[in-house]
Structure formats: C-alpha cells, structure tokens
Amino acid sequence: MPGTAVEADIMISFVLFSDPGQVGITRCLVRTALEYRGLGHYASEAEIIACELVTNAIQHASDDDPDAKIGVTLMHVWDKEAVSVVVTDSSPHPPV
C-alpha cells in the first residue's frame, strides 16, 4: 500500500492583515505565483478558492482580534498534478 504522505512544492506563502483590502492582494499573488511556475491554467480557480477562504477568515477570525493574521500557502502537490490552497488564521477558536 502506498504511503499517505503527499510530496508538496511550496510556490508561495504569505501572511496578511485581517482587512478586506487584502483579498485583492491575495488574488494578485496567487495568479502571479501560478503564472511564474507555468501553471496559469489553474489561476482562475485558485484565485476564487483563495479569495473565498481569505474572506471567510477575515470575517470570522478577526471578530475577536482586530490584529488577527491570515496565512496563505499555495502548493503544487500529488506528483505535480494539482494545486493546493491552504489558508490559516490566528484565531484560537476552531472553525464552525
């Protein structure tokens, strides 16, 4: 049985302030990272996913902390067949 570990190639990782203006920055960074790596065909979908997740994190994670930070990591995974968008926030509360 093959292992469950996933080989990941991090293309870009950045931290945002919890501010709605950061969504546009997310869009630009995700598109640029994918185009730079020759993966522009994933850009539209990855932008939408990243922006939705960042928007949710801004809306829900910053309720308790106006200084909340949001992390975004874009990875090339599964033997280079897929792109993964990971968004984290600094809230101590789990997602609901």
Side-chain angles (χ1 to χ4, degrees):
M1 181 169 135
T4 58
V6 174
E7 188 75 28
D9 175 19
I10 296 176
M11 290 183 273
I12 189 169
S13 187
F14 52 95
V15 176
L16 303 166
F17 294 109
S18 184
D19 177 275
Q22 302 292 289
V23 175
I25 292 169
T26 300
R27 185 177 295 110
C28 291
L29 291 172
V30 167
R31 177 167 291 279
T32 300
L34 287 168
E35 287 177 352
Y36 179 77
R37 296 293 291 271
L39 299 168
H41 55 283
Y42 289 118
S44 295
E45 291 86 358
E47 279 180 359
I48 291 169
I49 292 165
C51 290
E52 287 292 322
L53 292 172
V54 167
T55 298
N56 288 344
I58 290 169
Q59 289 177 343
H60 301 289
S62 63
D63 287 345
D64 299 332
D65 182 7
D67 296 323
K69 302 290 186 271
I70 297 165
V72 179
T73 302
L74 189 65
M75 297 178 284
H76 208 190
V77 295
W78 295 322
D79 294 324
K80 312 302 183 228
E81 295 176 10
V83 172
S84 176
V85 178
V86 178
V87 176
T88 60
D89 61 61
S90 59
S91 174
H93 306 292
V96 177

